[in-house]
Amino acid sequence: MNNFIGIFDSGIGGLSVLYEAMQLLPHEQFIYYADEKHVPYGEKTREEIIGYVDEIIQFMIDHDCKAIVIACNTATSADVSILRKEYPDVPVVGIEPALKPAVQFMEHPRVLVMATPMTIREEKFQRLMARYEKDAEIYPLACPGIVEFVERGELNSAGLKAFLYRLLKPYCEGTVDAIVLGCTHYPFVKDAIAEVMGNTVEFFDGGAGVARETRRRLMEKELLYTGDRKGRVIFENSAATLEKLRLCEILLN
Ligand code: DGL
């Protein structure tokens, strides 16, 4: 099977998922689509996001994608069940905050879940939280603003750390055991978050799990590429900026 695996996000955050997929499926071809025209998704309405996602999925279908990965927690919480109904032949894999491994890594942990306002607000996350609330103390935290730092390529600046310190102050110095990075942009600022926390916390994100699920779904439908060509990535961007393309390459490396 020669077709592409399409991966998309509102911006460059989904590269953290693309990276995992490339490790697991090194011979596959990927199209990475960043919807830079509409980033950040996390502060939009559900209806707006469904509209953007529909267009991107159509783009992926038109470009012969054999599977589509929604490398965006926000878009997944808004849309994935609708998409599965519309495209029964193309596996669509979404991502959700990696709460399960975070809750299970120790006895009754205190878990901070960082995600966009929309992810935290949506029913999908509320249901996920309800499933684990007996096994852990879970603190959901909407984090508007972090995505913009990542989009500017500011991954460890003093400005970012001051911003994170204001946001995370109530959870610093030993009040949480684990942090779920529930937005695909956040793994890029993990070091800055760790520094601001001031103590050791375990980090969890859903990137590797999504890569494994994508491989499983492709195998199930016998859609995996079985030759030994070198994989590659084509970058697409709704705002078509060269500067972003360069940032994509830097982050992926
Ligand atoms: N990276 C996305 C996520 O995982 C969306 C960030 C945004 O555009 O707000 O939720």
Side-chain angles (χ1 to χ4, degrees):
M1 256 295 172
N2 281 318
N3 306 355
F4 290 95
I5 298 173
I7 301 193
F8 75 91
D9 179 37
S10 61
I12 56 186
L15 293 172
S16 58
V17 177
L18 172 65
Y19 175 81
E20 299 291 347
M22 288 169 72
Q23 305 306 303
L24 204 63
L25 303 165
H27 304 295
E28 293 286 351
Q29 309 190 109
F30 297 91
I31 296 180
Y32 182 81
Y33 189 103
D35 190 9
E36 296 291 348
K37 206 155 74 176
H38 301 118
V39 67
Y41 278 8
E43 289 155 63
K44 304 276 190 314
T45 65
R46 181 166 188 267
E47 290 65 34
E48 283 173 310
I49 294 173
I50 289 176
Y52 307 147
V53 169
D54 269 352
E55 264 181 47
I56 300 170
I57 298 276
Q58 201 49 59
F59 173 92
M60 300 287 189
I61 303 279
D62 292 346
H63 286 75
D64 250 351
C65 287
K66 59 182 176 181
I68 298 170
V69 179
I70 306 179
C72 175
N73 293 265
T74 310
T76 303
S77 60
D79 210 25
V80 81
S81 55
I82 299 171
L83 292 171
R84 285 207 180 112
K85 273 181 221 135
E86 278 180 29
Y87 303 99
D89 298 332
V90 180
V92 177
V93 181
I95 186 167
E96 64 179 17
L99 195 51
K100 186 178 175 188
V103 164
Q104 292 173 346
F105 98 100
M106 65 180 274
E107 190 71 24
H108 212 86
R110 297 160 301 171
V111 181
L112 176 66
V113 183
M114 298 173 68
T116 67
M118 162 120 183
T119 300
I120 298 285
R121 193 171 68 225
E122 277 298 310
E123 204 189 312
K124 195 168 192 295
F125 177 70
Q126 297 301 324
R127 281 203 307 267
L128 182 71
M129 212 167 82
R131 206 180 308 151
Y132 296 108
E133 68 192 356
K134 282 194 309 300
D135 309 318
E137 294 301 315
I138 304 171
Y139 312 118
L141 180 66
C143 305
I146 300 181
V147 166
E148 287 86 334
F149 278 99
V150 177
E151 288 292 324
R152 286 196 297 272
E154 264 192 65
L155 309 182
N156 215 351
S157 67
L160 170 68
K161 281 187 249 183
F163 178 88
L164 288 173
Y165 186 70
R166 279 194 300 278
L167 188 73
L168 297 173
K169 201 163 181 277
Y171 308 98
C172 286
E173 311 297 348
T175 42
V176 297
D177 305 300
I179 295 184
V180 175
L181 301 172
C183 166
T184 54
H185 281 74
Y186 301 172
F188 291 113
V189 292
K190 186 170 114 180
D191 290 350
I193 295 173
E195 193 182 321
V196 164
M197 289 305 289
N199 63 296
T200 311
V201 285
E202 287 290 320
F203 283 94
F204 296 87
D205 76 78
V210 167
R212 286 194 299 274
E213 176 65 5
T214 305
R215 183 177 61 179
R216 190 188 70 73
R217 301 279 297 279
L218 285 169
M219 277 166 77
E220 190 177 80
K221 286 197 175 289
E222 298 185 358
L223 290 172
L224 269 187
Y225 174 79
T226 47
D228 65 353
R229 102 192 136 196
K230 196 168 171 317
R232 65 178 175 136
V233 184
I234 295 175
F235 290 105
E236 291 286 342
N237 182 325
S238 59
T241 63
L242 264 182
E243 188 196 319
K244 274 286 151 69
L245 201 60
R246 262 198 302 278
L247 189 54
C248 282
E249 281 162 2
I250 292 169
L251 290 185
L252 203 55
N253 285 334

